[in-house]
């Protein structure tokens, strides 16, 4: 069952089940974070951002390309960690051979710190994460113009006069609006300021109670709820969307446990990416 979430006009849909499948689309940004399995109603998303090579996050890549090719949609753009590039090219060549028709796509390594455009307003980069295999999360930025500090407080008429004189009164700024963790230890949160400042953060939270504690969670490259909440005061996100819960928990138990443990500083900002009951 697909899950929906929206905030500040950005709409997301998809599914995230720990060890089973994760794929979350943002319609406004025309992109898909991971593709474990294949969400057929996200086929039209032109940009696919892959966090790592585990099948519950990447198994749908061949089907995604194949279906778009069959439907004569434009070739998608696929971004992934460098370690995945050559193996995935080989996999796709074999699938294309078996299906006996060409796979049309563009594949690009996404390197940390380099900006990749989505359109004139939005771009993204990757940040290394801390999983059992090479992995990375993604942060999407919105480009805006802001009045330079030295002109702030000046009357509107004076600002208009400066503009007519050709004075550059604004500067370009990039605001982190969405971050997506993929699978990672909690170190990802504390390592990158823009992740903590993103207006929306999709954060892995595989384990939530003492049955599988923090040590076991970290051993397998995952994040425990208690780790997030222990440093909650450092999180500036307007919405913290928890994903990738272990299937050992029921949805009702997850909601109850998260609610019981949520610290005051995160009240009203936590959202569990789960189907409605």
């Amino acid at each position: 069952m697909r899950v929906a979430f929206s905030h500040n006009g950005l709409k997301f849909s998809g599914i995230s089940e720990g060890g089973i499948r994760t794929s979350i689309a943002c319609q406004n940004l025309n992109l898909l974070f991971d593709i474990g399995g294949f969400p057929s109603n996200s086929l039209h998303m032109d940009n696919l951002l892959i966090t790592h090579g585990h099948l519950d996050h990447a198994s749908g890549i061949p089907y995604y390309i194949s279906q778009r090719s069959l439907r004569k949609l434009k070739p998608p753009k696929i971004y992934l960690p460098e370690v995945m590039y050559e193996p995935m090219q080989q996999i796709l060549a074999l699938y294309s051979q078996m299906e006996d028709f060409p796979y049309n796509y563009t594949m690009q390594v996404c390197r940390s710190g380099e900006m990749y455009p989505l359109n004139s307003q939005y771009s993204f980069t990757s940040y290394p994460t801390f999983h059992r295999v090479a992995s990375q999360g993604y942060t999407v930025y919105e480009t805006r113009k802001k009045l330079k500090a030295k002109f702030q407080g000046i009357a509107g008429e004076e600002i208009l006069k400066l503009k007519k004189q050709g004075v550059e009164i604004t500067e370009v700024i990039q605001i982190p609006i969405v971050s997506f963790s993929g699978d990672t230890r909690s170190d990802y949160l504390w390592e990158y300021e823009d992740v903590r400042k993103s207006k929306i953060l999709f954060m892995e939270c595989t384990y939530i109670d003492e049955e599988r504690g923090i040590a076991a969670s970290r051993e397998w490259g995952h994040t425990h709820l208690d780790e997030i909440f222990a440093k909650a005061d450092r999180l500036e996100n307007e919405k913290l969307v928890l994903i990738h819960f272990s299937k050992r928990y029921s949805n009702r138990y997850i909601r109850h446990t998260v609610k019981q443990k949520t610290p005051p500083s995160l009240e009203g900002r936590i959202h569990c990416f789960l189907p409605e009951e």
Side-chain angles (χ1 to χ4, degrees):
M1 181 183 297
R2 290 179 66 78
V3 181
F5 168 78
S6 62
H7 179 66
N8 281 353
L10 290 178
K11 298 179 180 179
F12 302 85
S13 64
I15 193 164
S16 185
E17 301 170 310
I20 309 297
R21 51 185 173 168
T22 289
S23 186
I24 298 176
C26 180
Q27 295 91 325
N28 314 67
L29 300 176
N30 190 24
L31 65 79
L32 194 58
F33 293 111
D34 282 341
I35 190 162
F38 185 72
S40 59
N41 57 353
S42 296
L43 181 66
H44 59 288
M45 300 295 169
D46 295 329
N47 301 281
L48 173 58
L49 280 56
I50 299 293
T51 60
H52 66 288
H54 282 158
L55 290 179
D56 57 320
H57 292 259
S59 64
I61 295 175
Y63 193 70
Y64 167 71
I65 297 171
S66 172
Q67 287 294 301
R68 287 183 63 100
S69 296
L70 283 171
R71 301 184 192 195
K72 295 182 170 43
L73 298 175
K74 70 179 183 179
K77 295 180 181 178
I78 302 171
Y79 301 86
L80 38 60
E82 185 171 10
V83 71
M84 288 182 65
Y85 184 86
E86 289 297 336
M88 187 54 63
Q89 291 280 35
Q90 295 173 31
I91 289 169
L92 295 175
L94 289 171
Y95 267 109
S96 176
Q97 178 183 331
M98 288 187 291
E99 290 210 87
D100 193 27
F101 73 87
Y103 277 15
N104 299 314
Y105 64 92
T106 298
M107 183 175 291
Q108 184 169 350
V109 172
C110 183
R111 293 184 169 85
S112 180
E114 294 186 19
M115 299 299 294
Y116 301 84
L118 288 169
N119 54 42
S120 60
Q121 187 177 5
Y122 298 102
S123 57
F124 68 91
T125 193
S126 64
Y127 294 107
T129 55
F130 305 85
H131 193 38
R132 293 192 302 111
V133 297
S135 59
Q136 59 194 35
Y138 293 93
T139 298
V140 178
Y141 293 83
E142 181 180 5
T143 300
R144 295 182 185 175
K145 285 189 175 182
K146 177 184 177 182
L147 192 66
K148 290 181 178 179
K150 64 181 179 180
F151 298 121
Q152 292 177 11
I154 296 178
E157 291 183 1
E158 184 62 27
I159 290 290
L160 186 59
K161 184 185 297 183
L162 290 170
K163 286 182 67 175
K164 289 180 178 180
Q165 293 172 357
V167 176
E168 185 59 60
I169 61 171
T170 61
E171 59 185 346
V172 174
I173 60 171
Q174 291 186 313
I175 301 171
I177 60 164
V178 182
S179 286
F180 182 86
S181 71
D183 287 2
T184 181
R185 297 196 304 269
S186 63
D187 306 54
Y188 169 74
L189 282 174
W190 322 124
E191 187 75 16
Y192 310 113
E193 183 178 11
D194 281 359
V195 169
R196 299 190 302 274
K197 287 186 172 182
S198 294
K199 294 184 182 301
I200 304 167
L201 168 59
F202 284 85
M203 180 64 199
E204 187 229 293
C205 184
T206 303
Y207 302 111
I208 63 174
D209 63 14
E210 291 69 37
E211 182 180 346
R212 194 169 186 89
I214 291 175
S217 179
R218 291 184 63 80
E219 180 182 358
W220 287 93
H222 291 298
T223 295
H224 194 286
L225 178 67
D226 292 351
E227 295 179 276
I228 299 173
F229 286 174
K231 300 179 182 180
D233 290 346
R234 296 185 62 188
L235 301 174
E236 301 178 36
N237 317 98
E238 293 177 4
K239 290 293 181 181
L240 175 56
V241 184
L242 302 179
I243 60 174
H244 202 268
F245 295 107
S246 169
K247 292 299 288 181
R248 69 178 60 206
Y249 311 122
S250 69
N251 292 346
R252 180 169 296 183
Y253 178 72
I254 292 169
R255 286 194 173 95
H256 171 76
T257 302
V258 171
K259 183 177 181 180
Q260 289 294 107
K261 290 188 173 185
T262 298
S265 63
L266 288 179
E267 288 287 349
R269 294 196 283 151
I270 292 287
H271 181 84
C272 297
F273 197 73
L274 296 169
E276 295 296 329
E277 295 181 338

